[in-house]
C-alpha cells in the first residue's frame, strides 16, 4: 500500500512539475500574453527529436530544438525553422477553427511569443500562468525548459523570475493534442479534440512571499461559520494573515505555520446567503505582511437529506441544461467572459437555475459568471467512457486533473457538484477507480456534493429501466443518462417506461435528448426534424416526473457542438445535433417545451421559498 501511495505521488508530480497553480488570477497584477503567437505545425516533432529520435530538451546543452528559437548568427549555421517568418494563431483559441488545414489536425504545434516585462519591485517574483492548453504542453522560456503539463482543461503555472530578461523574452510552447489510450480522456469521445493554447496566458507578478491559495467557504453544515485555510508561498512563511469581510465587519487574524499554512474560522450573523434568486457576493480581502488579494465570494449551503437536495436548507429542484465548452456561433472552444455570458444567458432564458458543464473542466469564466448570474453548477472530471481503469498512471492523471479543478473553483458559490465521470462501464476496477477519486474529492472539499453521470440498464421486462450501478452507493446524488426515444425506440416508448430505482437519495437525469437539424421540419416520427425532438421532450418530461426521487435534470444539450463521430451528410456534417439551439444561434422548437416546464417548476419553487 505504502509503495502504491509513493508511486502515485511520483506520478502526480510527473503530471504537474508545474506547481499547483495559484488561485484567483483575476485578482492579481497580470500582464496578458494573449494575442498573436507565431506557430509551426510539426507532425513529426522535428523540433523536439533529433534524427536518432532523442528529445533535444533532455540534452543539458541543447544545440537544436525549436524551443531555442535560434537565429542565424553566421553563414556556417544551418537552421531549418524561423519563428519570425511564421504565420500567427490567436491565443486564447483552439487551432482547429483558425485555419482550414488545422480543422482535423491532431499532433504537435509550436507557439512562440516575444515579450518585454519589467517587474515593479526588485524582489518580486514572476510566474507565467496558462488557463489551459490541450493536451500535453512543454513550456520553455529563453531556451530553458520550465516544465511539462498534462491535461487539456486545467490551469498551470511556472515561476520565471530568474529566467526573465530585461527585454526580448522568448516563450516557446509545444502543444500536442494526439489522443492516447492511457490518457484522460482516452481515444474515444463524442466531442472535437480541439488543440492549442485554448485559454488565457498571463505573466503574474507577486511579492517574494505571496498568498498562493485560500479557501473561504461556509463550514460544512453551518450557515453561521465561515472557515477555510490560507497558504503562503515564499521564504517568509510564518506571518500574521488577516481575512476580512468589510461589508459585515468581520475579521479573522491567524498565524501561518512553517509551511505557510493556517486554518481559520469566522462566526457570522445575518449573512445574506447566495442563491439563484439572490446571487449575493461579498468582497473579501486576505492580507499578509507582504501581500494582499481581493475577491468576491458568495456563501450558501448545499446538502442532501433523504431524497431531497437542500440549498440553504430548502428543498430545491435543479432546472438544468448540459453545456459543452464551445461557442456555437463562432465555432470552436469558448474561453471568454463574453462566451460565458452568452451560454449562461441562454440557460437563464430557458429558466434554468443550474447547468452541467460537460465533460471536462470549463474555463474559469464560466463559474465566475455563474456566481454573478445566480446559476448553480456541476463541474466534471474528463473521465469519460472507457479509460484504462487498471493503469495507476491513468488514475494519477485523473486525480491530478480533479485536484486542479477543485483548487481553482473551490471558492465559487455557484459550484455545488463535483462529478467524477460520465457513462463509465461497470466493473470492479472502474468502481474502485471512481471510489478513490470520490474519496479524494471529499478530502479536498467536504462542502460540496459528489456525483457522476451513470448509465441505466434493463431487465427481463422490456419497459423497465433500472439504475443499479454500484458507484451509486458512493455519490450524494444519483445521476444517470438515458436516451429512450432516440437510441432506444421511438419517443412513444417514453409513455410505457417503469422506473426501478431503489436509492434513498435524490435522483437526477444528467442526459436525455434527440438530434434535430435547426430549420428541418416534418412529422413527429421523422428523425432529425425539430418536431421529432420537440415530441421527445414532451414525452420525456412526464416520464421522468414519475420517478419519486426526481430532483432535477440536465437535458443534452444547450447548443449543437462539433463531433468527428457525427458524419451524416447534410444533417450532421461533423456536428452533434442534439442542441436546443442550432449552429447559427437559432432556437429549435424543443427549447420552448423545456422553457415552459422550467417556468412551472420555478413557480412551484417560489412557493417552497415562501414557506
Ligand atoms: C452520451 C454522452 C455524450 C454524447 C451523447 C450523444 O450519452 O454522454 O457525450 O454526446 O450521449 O449525443 O449521444
Amino acid at each position: 500500500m505504502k509503495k502504491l501511495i509513493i508511486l502515485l505521488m511520483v506520478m502526480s508530480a510527473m503530471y504537474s512539475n508545474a506547481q499547483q497553480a495559484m488561485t484567483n488570477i483575476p485578482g492579481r497584477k497580470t500582464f496578458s500574453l494573449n494575442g498573436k503567437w507565431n506557430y509551426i505545425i510539426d507532425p513529426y516533432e522535428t523540433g523536439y527529436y533529433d534524427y536518432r529520435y532523442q528529445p533535444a530538451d533532455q540534452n543539458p546543452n541543447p544545440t537544436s530544438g525549436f524551443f531555442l528559437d535560434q537565429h542565424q548568427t553566421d553563414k556556417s549555421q544551418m537552421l531549418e525553422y524561423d519563428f519570425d517568418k511564421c504565420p500567427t494563431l490567436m491565443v486564447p483559441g483552439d487551432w482547429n477553427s483558425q485555419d482550414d488545414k488545422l480543422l482535423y489536425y491532431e499532433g504537435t504545434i509550436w507557439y512562440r511569443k516575444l515579450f518585454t516585462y519589467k517587474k515593479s519591485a526588485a524582489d518580486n517574483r514572476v510566474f507565467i500562468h496558462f488557463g489551459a492548453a490541450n493536451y500535453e504542453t512543454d513550456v520553455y522560456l529563453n531556451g530553458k525548459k520550465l516544465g511539462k503539463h498534462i491535461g487539456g482543461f486545467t490551469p498551470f503555472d511556472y515561476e520565471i523570475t530568474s529566467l526573465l530578461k530585461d527585454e526580448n523574452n522568448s516563450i516557446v510552447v509545444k502543444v500536442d493534442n494526439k489522443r492516447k489510450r492511457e490518457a484522460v480522456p482516452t481515444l474515444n469521445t463524442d466531442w472535437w479534440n480541439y488543440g492549442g493554447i485554448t485559454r488565457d496566458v498571463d505573466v503574474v507578478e507577486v511579492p517574494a512571499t505571496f498568498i498562493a491559495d485560500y479557501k473561504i467557504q461556509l463550514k460544512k453544515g453551518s450557515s453561521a461559520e465561515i472557515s477555510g485555510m490560507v497558504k503562503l508561498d515564499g521564504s517568509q512563511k510564518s506571518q500574521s494573515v488577516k481575512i476580512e469581510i468589510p461589508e459585515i465587519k468581520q475579521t479573522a487574524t491567524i498565524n501561518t505555520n512553517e509551511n505557510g499554512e493556517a486554518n481559520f474560522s469566522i462566526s457570522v450573523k445575518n449573512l445574506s446567503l447566495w442563491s439563484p434568486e439572490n446571487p449575493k457576493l461579498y468582497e473579501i480581502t486576505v492580507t499578509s505582511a507582504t501581500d494582499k488579494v481581493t475577491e468576491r465570494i458568495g456563501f450558501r449551503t448545499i446538502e442532501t437529506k433523504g431524497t431531497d437536495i437542500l440549498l440553504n436548507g430548502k428543498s430545491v429542484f435543479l432546472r438544468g441544461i448540459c453545456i459543452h465548452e464551445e461557442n456555437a456561433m463562432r465555432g470552436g472552444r469558448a474561453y471568454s467572459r463574453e462566451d460565458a455570458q452568452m451560454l449562461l444567458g441562454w440557460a437563464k432564458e430557458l429558466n434554468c437555475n443550474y447547468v452541467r458543464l460537460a465533460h471536462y473542466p470549463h474555463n474559469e469564466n464560466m463559474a465566475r459568471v455563474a456566481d454573478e448570474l445566480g446559476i448553480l453548477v456541476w463541474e466534471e472530471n474528463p473521465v469519460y467512457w472507457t479509460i484504462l481503469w487498471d493503469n495507476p498512471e491513468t488514475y494519477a492523471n485523473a486525480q491530478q486533473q480533479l485536484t486542479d479543478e477543485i483548487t481553482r473553483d473551490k471558492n465559487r458559490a455557484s459550484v455545488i457538484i463535483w462529478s467524477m465521470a460520465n457513462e463509465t462501464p461497470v466493473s470492479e476496477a472502474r468502481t474502485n477507480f471512481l471510489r478513490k477519486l470520490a474519496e479524494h474529492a471529499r478530502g479536498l472539499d467536504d462542502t460540496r456534493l459528489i456525483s457522476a453521470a451513470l448509465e441505466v440498464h434493463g431487465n427481463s421486462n422490456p419497459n423497465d429501466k433500472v439504475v443499479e450501478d454500484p458507484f451509486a452507493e458512493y455519490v450524494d446524488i444519483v445521476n444517470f443518462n438515458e436516451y429512450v426515444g432516440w437510441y432506444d425506440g421511438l419517443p412513444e416508448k417514453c409513455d410505457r417506461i417503469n422506473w426501478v430505482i431503489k436509492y434513498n437519495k435524490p435522483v437526477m437525469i444528467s442526459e436525455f435528448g434527440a438530434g434535430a437539424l435547426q430549420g428541418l421540419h416534418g412529422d413527429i416520427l421523422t428523425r432529425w426534424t425539430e418536431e421529432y425532438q420537440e415530441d421527445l421532450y414532451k414525452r420525456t418530461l412526464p416520464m421522468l416526473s414519475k420517478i419519486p426521487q426526481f430532483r432535477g435534470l440536465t437535458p443534452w444539450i444547450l447548443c449543437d457542438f462539433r463531433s468527428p463521430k457525427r458524419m451524416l451528410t447534410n444533417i450532421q456534417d461533423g456536428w452533434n445535433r442534439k442542441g436546443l439551439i442550432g449552429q447559427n444561434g437559432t432556437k429549435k422548437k424543443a427549447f420552448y417545451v423545456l422553457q415552459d416546464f422550467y417556468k412551472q417548476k420555478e413557480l412551484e419553487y417560489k412557493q417552497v421559498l415562501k414557506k
Side-chain angles (χ1 to χ4, degrees):
M1 185 65 188
K2 222 178 184 173
K3 268 195 196 146
L4 182 70
I5 291 171
I6 293 170
L7 183 70
L8 286 177
M9 280 165 62
V10 170
M11 278 172 175
S12 52
M14 257 167 52
Y15 283 103
S16 171
N17 59 1
Q19 60 171 37
Q20 192 83 64
M22 67 179 83
T23 196
N24 187 19
I25 295 299
R28 298 178 192 265
K29 180 173 160 44
T30 56
F31 171 77
S32 174
L33 292 185
N34 289 349
K36 291 180 178 170
W37 291 52
N38 296 94
Y39 75 101
I40 300 174
I41 307 171
D42 188 11
Y44 278 46
E45 303 195 300
T46 304
Y48 188 71
Y49 294 106
D50 67 16
Y51 83 124
R52 295 293 183 224
Y53 214 63
Q54 297 304 310
D57 70 2
Q58 303 299 305
N59 183 333
N61 295 304
T63 50
S64 68
F66 291 178
F67 53 90
L68 294 176
D69 189 10
Q70 289 155 302
H71 294 91
Q72 200 179 28
T73 46
D74 68 71
K75 290 198 172 179
S76 68
Q77 204 175 5
M78 216 289 292
L79 288 177
E80 291 186 89
Y81 72 99
D82 182 352
F83 276 113
D84 290 350
K85 300 218 168 72
C86 290
T88 56
L89 282 170
M90 285 304 284
V91 170
D94 62 89
W95 62 54
N96 315 70
S97 16
Q98 297 193 49
D99 183 344
D100 283 350
K101 69 174 176 294
L102 294 175
L103 183 64
Y104 288 97
Y105 183 66
E106 295 186 308
T108 281
I109 287 190
W110 294 86
Y111 287 75
R112 196 276 323 251
K113 175 119 185 145
L114 300 176
F115 69 98
T116 295
Y117 184 77
K118 291 215 183 339
K119 289 200 283 185
S120 57
D123 60 353
N124 275 1
R125 293 164 68 190
V126 185
F127 289 75
I128 183 155
H129 181 90
F130 293 81
N134 189 36
Y135 171 81
E136 233 176 82
T137 311
D138 293 89
V139 186
Y140 308 84
L141 181 70
N142 299 329
K144 295 273 176 320
K145 185 158 191 165
L146 300 173
K148 180 193 221 32
H149 180 263
I150 293 181
F153 306 98
T154 41
F156 51 99
D157 51 39
Y158 300 102
E159 181 156 13
I160 56 172
T161 315
S162 60
L163 290 175
L164 202 61
K165 298 189 299 190
D166 284 346
E167 54 190 21
N168 250 333
N169 290 285
S170 155
I171 173 113
V172 175
V173 182
K174 172 185 181 291
V175 187
D176 178 3
N177 74 334
K178 277 193 293 295
R179 285 168 294 130
K180 290 183 180 164
R181 179 71 187 100
E182 71 280 10
V184 183
T186 179
L187 296 169
N188 195 21
T189 65
D190 185 23
W191 72 80
W192 210 264
N193 181 26
Y194 290 109
I197 306 178
T198 49
R199 297 185 189 157
D200 295 328
V201 185
D202 288 292
V203 172
V204 188
E205 182 175 338
V206 290
T209 299
F210 68 100
I211 301 160
D213 195 12
Y214 49 86
K215 181 175 181 189
I216 303 176
Q217 291 281 283
L218 277 173
K219 189 176 171 186
K220 183 181 166 70
S222 169
S223 52
E225 187 181 347
I226 293 174
S227 70
M229 62 86 187
V230 174
K231 187 168 190 227
L232 306 182
D233 185 311
S235 52
Q236 284 174 262
K237 292 224 167 51
S238 300
Q239 293 193 25
S240 161
V241 178
K242 234 188 335 183
I243 297 117
E244 288 166 282
I245 315 175
E247 193 178 328
I248 53 167
K249 301 189 177 60
Q250 291 294 335
T251 303
T253 306
I254 47 174
N255 294 315
T256 49
N257 65 18
E258 66 284 2
N259 298 321
E261 293 170 3
N263 295 328
F264 73 91
S265 150
I266 307 177
S267 303
V268 283
K269 263 196 246 128
N270 304 327
L271 204 59
S272 173
L273 295 180
W274 184 100
S275 72
E277 293 68 36
N278 177 46
K280 166 74 188 166
L281 301 175
Y282 286 93
E283 184 154 302
I284 311 283
T285 48
V286 183
T287 317
S288 73
T290 52
D291 195 12
K292 177 174 181 175
V293 283
T294 302
E295 189 165 15
R296 289 164 73 218
I297 296 180
F299 301 101
R300 51 101 197 94
T301 64
I302 190 79
E303 62 201 306
T304 62
K305 190 171 173 203
T307 61
D308 276 334
I309 302 168
L310 304 182
L311 174 67
N312 298 328
K314 296 213 163 148
S315 175
V316 63
F317 184 89
L318 299 182
R319 313 184 303 268
I321 189 76
C322 290
I323 303 181
H324 257 298
E325 192 193 36
E326 265 189 40
N327 179 324
M329 311 283 286
R330 189 181 59 227
R333 277 267 170 261
Y335 50 78
S336 64
R337 262 189 89 78
E338 292 71 30
D339 292 339
Q341 280 159 343
M342 180 180 81
L343 293 168
L344 296 175
W346 277 328
K348 277 248 150 190
E349 210 181 320
L350 258 180
N351 297 317
C352 289
N353 60 0
Y354 167 63
V355 291
R356 172 183 177 210
L357 304 184
H359 283 302
Y360 38 75
H362 287 211
N363 68 86
E364 190 171 351
N365 292 305
M366 288 297 273
R368 287 187 181 268
V369 173
D371 260 13
E372 291 161 19
L373 294 181
I375 299 183
L376 299 158
V377 173
W378 149 309
E379 291 198 2
E380 186 162 326
N381 208 27
V383 173
Y384 183 91
W385 288 351
T386 52
I387 69 168
L388 287 186
W389 308 111
D390 284 317
N391 182 355
E393 250 187 76
T394 302
Y395 179 79
N397 180 349
Q399 180 174 302
Q400 189 62 49
Q401 294 193 51
L402 180 63
T403 305
D404 291 344
E405 173 187 49
I406 295 176
T407 303
R408 191 192 70 183
D409 286 346
K410 61 185 173 306
N411 289 319
R412 301 281 74 79
S414 52
V415 178
I416 53 166
I417 296 173
W418 302 123
S419 170
M420 300 299 107
N422 178 72
E423 277 187 359
T424 52
V426 175
S427 73
E428 206 181 322
R430 190 285 327 233
T431 304
N432 286 338
F433 187 109
L434 295 189
R435 191 176 38 76
K436 262 194 329 196
L437 270 188
E439 280 164 10
H440 178 73
R442 286 190 202 280
L444 291 177
D445 178 17
D446 66 356
T447 69
R448 291 181 175 79
L449 306 175
I450 300 289
S451 197
L454 305 176
E455 290 183 330
V456 67
H457 300 117
N459 62 15
S460 55
N461 180 342
N463 294 328
D464 278 1
K465 293 286 165 203
V466 187
V467 183
E468 54 181 359
D469 186 319
F471 187 60
E473 295 296 340
Y474 301 101
V475 299
D476 298 305
I477 304 179
V478 177
N479 266 277
F480 64 89
N481 299 351
E482 64 81 14
Y483 281 91
V484 179
W486 184 251
Y487 296 122
D488 178 3
L490 287 167
E492 54 80 33
K493 184 169 179 186
C494 296
D495 308 348
R496 288 180 270 121
I497 294 300
N498 308 310
W499 296 103
V500 185
I501 307 174
K502 299 220 169 99
Y503 306 100
N504 182 34
K505 295 184 181 191
V507 168
M508 290 174 42
I509 290 67
S510 33
E511 283 178 33
F512 74 84
L517 181 65
Q518 187 275 317
L520 186 69
H521 295 286
D523 62 70
I524 57 170
L525 287 177
T526 303
R527 283 185 190 255
W528 309 110
T529 63
E530 288 195 34
E531 285 71 17
Y532 186 107
Q533 188 191 42
E534 180 188 35
D535 184 51
L536 180 118
Y537 271 69
K538 282 186 178 161
R539 290 173 193 267
T540 299
L541 297 170
M543 168 183 77
L544 300 179
S545 300
K546 286 191 223 155
I547 302 171
Q549 317 93 314
F550 182 41
R551 294 296 176 269
L553 66 159
T554 44
W556 191 251
I557 183 170
L558 183 65
C559 298
D560 288 358
F561 60 97
R562 279 208 185 115
S563 168
K565 295 174 84 70
R566 308 294 174 171
M567 289 165 291
L568 186 61
T569 306
N570 291 337
I571 299 281
Q572 293 177 311
D573 300 317
W575 290 75
N576 183 314
R577 296 291 182 199
K578 296 192 189 72
L580 293 176
I581 298 178
Q583 205 180 320
N584 56 2
T586 307
K587 292 164 186 118
K588 304 177 193 172
K589 288 177 128 185
F591 182 97
Y592 301 101
V593 177
L594 190 64
Q595 189 185 45
D596 284 351
F597 180 74
Y598 282 169
K599 183 88 237 160
Q600 192 50 43
K601 286 283 178 194
E602 190 182 5
L603 292 175
E604 287 168 21
Y605 182 53
K606 287 201 168 136
Q607 294 307 316
V608 174
L609 287 179
K610 272 195 200 146
K611 278 183 203 155

